[in-house]
Amino acid sequence: MDDYDPESLPVDIALKKILGDIRPIESSETVNVRNALGRVLAGNIISNINVPSGTNSAMDGYAVFSSDLPAEGFRDLRIAGTAFAGRPYKEKLSPGECVRIMTGAIMPDGTDTVVIQEHAERSGNGIKIGTDTKAGANVRPAGEDIAAGDTILEKGKRLVPADIGLIASLGIGEVNVTRKLRVAFFSTGDELRSIGDVLEDGQIFDSNRYTLHGMLSRLGVDIIDMGVIRDVRTDLQSGFEKASMLADVLITTGGVSVGEADYVKEILENVGTVNFWKVAMKPGRPLAYGKIKDTCFFGLPGNPVSVMVTFYQFVQPALRYLMGENLTEPVIIKVLCKSGLKKRQGRVEYQRGILERDPSGQLIVHKTGLQGSGILRSMAQANCFIILPMESGNVEPDTLVDVQPFFGLV
Ligand code: AMP
Ligand code: MG
């Protein structure tokens, strides 16, 4: 029971405390619409055109005056010309005349109804129409899709490819987005070596900086990689001070537990303010949050899986919020779990899962094997977290569990 700790903060409270302490950045910049993918809108996008721009035909048929529609029986109309999409008919029409019209073509002046070709009997240069068409039928009014003045996308939207196309469809070439967030990070630990070094006993390659680099790249921030800092107080302190001058956010990994060489808390107290928490979660129990001057600080645990879980659950929403994004609730779905899961009560566990369909088409999840917080392979194999709530104990196979798909971030 060494993991149970009544003083640990619940996950949702910890996130609320973080979000309550930060303010979205206010400065923005104008970028070409093509380069706006993944950026966050700094203001609403308002259309200054109608889409469609002119009233046009929804069908292939004949554009007519509704006053020419017969109340009973039939009526003969003369075909004055043809209107194509992109090639309008521009002559003046008189009552008793109609225009052969294609889908998408602008309605000729005065006409307001399209008789579809199946309802018109053609003979030579004329048509005979009956009573099957209502006045105004088969016409798309200008601005039906988007009216000039409409807000199309709201401030705080992170732009996806559909948004980029939508903005282009309005003829808008430049958009105002929040400026990029500058995020610095470094790893701490005497045991860490760089790629290319030869490992001696007890040494490991630094992987946290690489996973962080990957996740931060996906979030579209400016990345400042400060390397590895040894467990030496003065070195760590100057790392913190340097980051506070360079970056909006500093993320460190390791050194936040209560071991002999865990100095992060002590140093943060010297150079800034610290909220040092144990969060009732696994992996990732120790988590430091604080400020060094105006720079937000996240002290993540050292274990590679803990880094990814705490990043996903806390740092990600915080960075999005700082970037000005309107946060939405994470997507969590109930899925049948085919594995038995070991779980202790009193903390939320984020076990790594594989979400897939069984042969009958039903969505199922199973765990990725060993769940130790140092086993990074479990993250590489997974495509989702299986989230087991505080009160849950062991889970029997074939139980419904909460699943949070990764959606590409990790
Ligand atoms: P710490 O919180 O510093 O005690 O680290 C917890 C565990 O994570 C230890 O086994 C460390 O060796 C390991 N660890 C810390 N930093 C890294 C890193 N950057 N890459 C890989 N493993 C790490
Ligand atoms: Mg350490």
Side-chain angles (χ1 to χ4, degrees), residues 188-191 231 254-255 261-262:
T188 71
D190 289 337
E191 75 281 27
D231 295 316
D262 294 330

Side-chain angles (χ1 to χ4, degrees), residues 157-221:
K157 175 100 204 295
R158 179 181 291 271
L159 298 173
V160 297
D163 299 326
I164 302 297
L166 188 58
I167 293 168
S169 77
L170 304 176
I172 298 172
E174 296 197 316
V175 285
N176 204 231
V177 295
T178 57
R179 81 156 163 80
K180 280 198 173 184
L181 206 62
R182 287 184 294 267
V183 180
F185 58 94
F186 59 80
S187 297
T188 71
D190 289 337
E191 75 281 27
L192 302 179
R193 288 295 172 274
S194 298
I195 296 172
D197 290 349
V198 176
L199 295 185
E200 284 167 30
D201 264 0
Q203 297 182 339
I204 56 170
F205 290 116
D206 173 13
S207 61
N208 289 343
R209 269 191 311 127
Y210 290 81
T211 45
L212 278 178
H213 187 277
M215 293 189 288
L216 290 169
S217 302
R218 290 243 163 119
L219 282 175
V221 301

Side-chain angles (χ1 to χ4, degrees), residues 274-301:
V274 54
N275 287 299
F276 189 81
W277 298 325
K278 283 180 276 184
V279 181
M281 67 190 288
K282 191 192 174 184
R285 188 167 62 151
L287 173 75
Y289 169 76
K291 286 241 170 89
I292 313 158
K293 301 197 192 84
D294 289 332
T295 297
C296 296
F297 171 78
F298 293 91
L300 307 186

